[in-house]
Amino acid sequence: MKKQNLFALAAIAGMGLSACSQNPQAIPEADALVSTPVVRPPYAQQAVRVPKSQQLGYQRPIPHAYPKPNMNYHNPPNSYGIPSIPPHMVSNNQMPRLSRVELRAIGDQIFNNEGGGNLNNLVHWNDGEDFASMGIGHFTWYPAGRRQSFGNTFPGLLDYMAQNGVQLPGWLQQARVQGAPWSTREELMAQKNSPQVQQLQNLLYNTRELQAQYIVDRTRTAMPKLVKASHQQSIVAHNLNAVANTPGGWYALIDYVNFKGEGLGNGGYRGQNWGLRQVLEEMRPTAQGQQALHEFADAAMRVLQRRVQNSDPSRNEARWLRGWQNRVDTYRNPIV
């Protein structure tokens, strides 16, 4: 492994997790919506546009809450993902950011993976689940008093929005603390055309890029934990660097964390988890490059198939495998 990559991992391992990192077992089954994802070019706005009748008066332009940091150094040519991190950035808890082209492409693809790029799926509740699914990443949102089996990630996104200058309507600020205002899927679906749901849907459409940055930040803050938590630290560090330093690798890492979590806890079925950490442990060691993306995708499917084998047969999780395979196959080629 190159010295600069070892240095980079050592540097990020010293950073603490931000408040944006949610329960590592956040594993919503929103992936059941996936059929055959289509990779979109970075600036293609192919999702359904918000009708003028839904453009609400309270909205204002979303501030650029994540400007490109001022950096006095340059990454090596053809470097991706985890560059060497200067000491002053380590002390300030900062890391280099993705370009806006990459961020938009990743956000568009995650939106397509989770909700087909459909505006109506930004406020959703999947059949058979006990939580609502919000935004481009289908962040989980439980009603008040509901047991949070898979984490509760949407309130964290709302905090992130507020911290970055997004004005939330009063009812949403209250619901952020109390829980989702619908107790069942049927209740939400019956209110899909209500002013409240339309307002939330519009807000989530207009903050897609900020949601993408939230997902990116969650992945970045998880990386040092992935290495430190593993009993195979050298393997995880090597594979993490191989994927992250390959064009397209950041999308694979970011989407999988949003898809199945970090895999940091002791949960899972029969003591076996299925998050990013488990995929990196499952990968065969590989050098950076196209093969690293294929190895990552292959390992992800082995981990997901193991999850299905370990699951309660009554859940019939095998029905999701085809959608999962379609999603994981988007990791094999760069989307930018």
Side-chain angles (χ1 to χ4, degrees), residues 67-90:
K68 186 176 181 180
N70 293 322
M71 301 179 187
N72 297 318
Y73 72 101
H74 299 282
N75 297 335
N78 301 319
S79 174
Y80 298 84
I82 308 180
S84 58
I85 303 176
H88 75 276
M89 293 192 70
V90 175

Side-chain angles (χ1 to χ4, degrees), residues 41 141 145 163 193 221 255:
W141 198 16
Q163 291 163 7
N193 294 319
T221 56
D255 184 74

Side-chain angles (χ1 to χ4, degrees), residues 279 282-284 291-305 325 328-329 332:
V279 174
E282 177 70 22
M283 281 180 66
R284 289 184 284 266
Q291 188 57 36
L293 300 184
H294 289 305
E295 289 288 349
F296 182 84
D298 291 343
M301 280 313 302
R302 291 196 297 271
V303 167
L304 292 172
Q305 288 165 349
Q325 181 72 70
V328 167
D329 281 345
R332 297 182 184 276

Side-chain angles (χ1 to χ4, degrees), residues 65-330:
Y66 31 87
K68 186 176 181 180
N70 293 322
M71 301 179 187
N72 297 318
Y73 72 101
H74 299 282
N75 297 335
N78 301 319
S79 174
Y80 298 84
I82 308 180
S84 58
I85 303 176
H88 75 276
M89 293 192 70
V90 175
S91 62
N92 292 334
N93 265 355
Q94 298 176 4
M95 289 182 65
R97 299 276 183 170
L98 294 170
S99 71
R100 295 197 72 174
V101 171
E102 294 171 305
L103 184 64
R104 289 174 180 174
I106 288 170
D108 283 348
Q109 185 62 56
I110 290 175
F111 185 18
N112 192 56
N113 290 345
E114 292 285 4
N118 189 332
L119 170 68
N120 292 322
N121 288 330
L122 289 171
V123 178
H124 194 68
W125 192 312
N126 288 312
D127 190 25
E129 296 178 340
D130 58 355
F131 51 83
S133 298
M134 302 286 114
I136 67 168
H138 271 192
F139 306 100
T140 54
W141 198 16
Y142 283 84
R146 188 73 51 84
R147 180 174 178 269
Q148 299 175 8
S149 304
F150 297 124
N152 195 34
T153 58
F154 187 57
L157 173 63
L158 293 178
D159 286 344
Y160 189 81
M161 286 183 176
Q163 291 163 7
N164 285 293
V166 178
Q167 184 177 354
L168 303 177
W171 72 266
L172 188 57
Q173 295 180 34
Q174 185 176 7
R176 179 260 171 270
V177 177
Q178 295 180 347
W182 321 280
S183 58
T184 65
R185 180 181 187 274
E186 291 72 24
E187 186 177 341
L188 171 59
M189 293 307 174
Q191 298 181 31
K192 283 287 279 187
N193 294 319
S194 68
Q196 186 181 71
V197 171
Q198 293 295 306
Q199 186 181 46
L200 177 57
Q201 188 169 276
N202 201 20
L203 173 67
L204 292 172
Y205 184 84
N206 284 304
T207 56
R208 299 188 310 285
E209 194 170 331
L210 190 58
Q211 293 171 60
Q213 186 65 60
Y214 173 75
I215 296 169
V216 169
D217 287 350
R218 176 184 173 185
T219 305
R220 288 186 184 279
T221 56
M223 284 185 173
K225 291 282 188 176
L226 293 174
V227 178
K228 294 174 69 174
S230 178
H231 296 301
Q232 306 174 56
Q233 290 188 4
S234 61
I235 292 175
V236 170
H238 177 89
N239 289 335
L240 176 59
N241 274 295
V243 176
N245 287 292
T246 296
W250 268 114
Y251 160 66
L253 297 170
I254 290 163
D255 184 74
Y256 196 87
V257 166
N258 187 67
F259 180 34
K260 291 299 177 195
E262 296 95 335
L264 295 173
N266 297 318
Y269 299 149
R270 301 184 183 181
Q272 291 185 301
N273 213 325
W274 47 77
L276 178 59
R277 175 186 140 196
Q278 287 70 41
V279 174
L280 294 171
E281 291 173 343
E282 177 70 22
M283 281 180 66
R284 289 184 284 266
T286 183
Q288 67 188 61
Q290 187 76 31
Q291 188 57 36
L293 300 184
H294 289 305
E295 289 288 349
F296 182 84
D298 291 343
M301 280 313 302
R302 291 196 297 271
V303 167
L304 292 172
Q305 288 165 349
R306 184 177 67 199
R307 164 183 163 156
V308 171
Q309 292 168 358
N310 288 338
S311 67
D312 184 338
S314 67
R315 288 180 56 82
N316 188 26
E317 293 202 0
R319 72 188 188 276
W320 293 322
L321 280 173
R322 183 177 179 181
W324 291 350
Q325 181 72 70
N326 289 334
R327 182 168 187 160
V328 167
D329 281 345
T330 68

